[in-house]
Amino acid sequence: MSEAKLAPNMPKWMVDHVDKYLSSGGKEGHMYTLTPPNSAPITVPSLLLITTGRKSGQKYLFPLFYGRAGDSYFIIASKGGAPEHPGWYRNLLANPDVEIQVGTAKMRARARTAKGEERARLWKDAAAFWPPYNDYQKKAGDREIPVVVLDPVH
């Protein structure tokens, strides 16, 4: 994978998670356990996404929860229900060629935003592995939270 910087202003728990993921080569950190507010602990799969900054041209790394869709992966651009899209999503709209690490596997992928029935199906799957996504959508108001499919490039 490319040398990439952690996104600025990343919370400490995310920095620690990325450090564990990278230092173990993906053997640790792939399955991540955390406790959402007012909930029991949840273990979710996580991947590392590298995008190219739309303004800077720098490579940035983000840890994200993911699901599987056939041979592809999908991620949710929730930003915790913020009114605007996360920076990594805006980056991949400008340049959909990304790199990902899923456990110990590293690959190139092309990102695309799911639409219609595909989005609805993947959103339902995402809310099953991370139920807070439904709360994030309510909090986001009029912003439809994007579901991003990462299709590996062979």
Side-chain angles (χ1 to χ4, degrees):
M1 288 178 74
S2 299
E3 282 298 312
K5 297 193 282 191
L6 286 177
N9 305 318
M10 194 175 285
K12 183 173 180 352
W13 71 268
M14 288 177 114
V15 173
D16 293 346
H17 177 214
V18 170
D19 287 347
K20 180 183 275 193
Y21 209 120
L22 291 174
S23 67
S24 71
K27 292 185 177 108
E28 295 180 45
H30 174 236
M31 296 307 292
Y32 189 74
T33 302
L34 70 168
T35 306
N38 308 315
S39 185
I42 302 174
T43 300
V44 289
S46 67
L47 57 72
L48 301 178
L49 171 73
I50 295 178
T51 65
T52 302
R54 65 199 173 283
K55 297 175 188 168
S56 67
Q58 296 284 319
K59 300 281 188 179
Y60 289 104
L61 186 148
F62 305 87
L64 299 163
F65 302 148
Y66 76 90
R68 292 296 306 256
D71 292 336
S72 299
Y73 303 89
F74 68 93
I75 52 180
I76 308 298
S78 68
K79 199 176 181 184
E84 72 281 343
H85 295 314
W88 63 260
Y89 180 71
R90 295 191 309 268
N91 288 348
L92 63 78
L93 288 176
N95 181 352
D97 294 320
V98 299
E99 295 174 63
I100 57 175
Q101 181 172 343
V102 182
T104 58
K106 298 175 183 181
M107 65 200 83
R108 295 188 180 283
R110 179 160 278 249
R112 61 183 174 81
T113 303
K115 304 283 185 207
E117 182 280 325
E118 180 186 38
R119 184 202 180 276
R121 178 174 41 83
L122 296 177
W123 180 268
K124 185 177 175 187
D125 290 350
F129 68 72
W130 185 246
Y133 283 140
N134 288 322
D135 294 331
Y136 297 169
Q137 183 58 75
K138 288 178 194 147
K139 188 175 161 189
D142 292 339
R143 175 174 81 94
E144 181 178 78
I145 294 176
V147 176
V148 177
V149 178
L150 302 169
D151 295 314
V153 175
H154 302 287

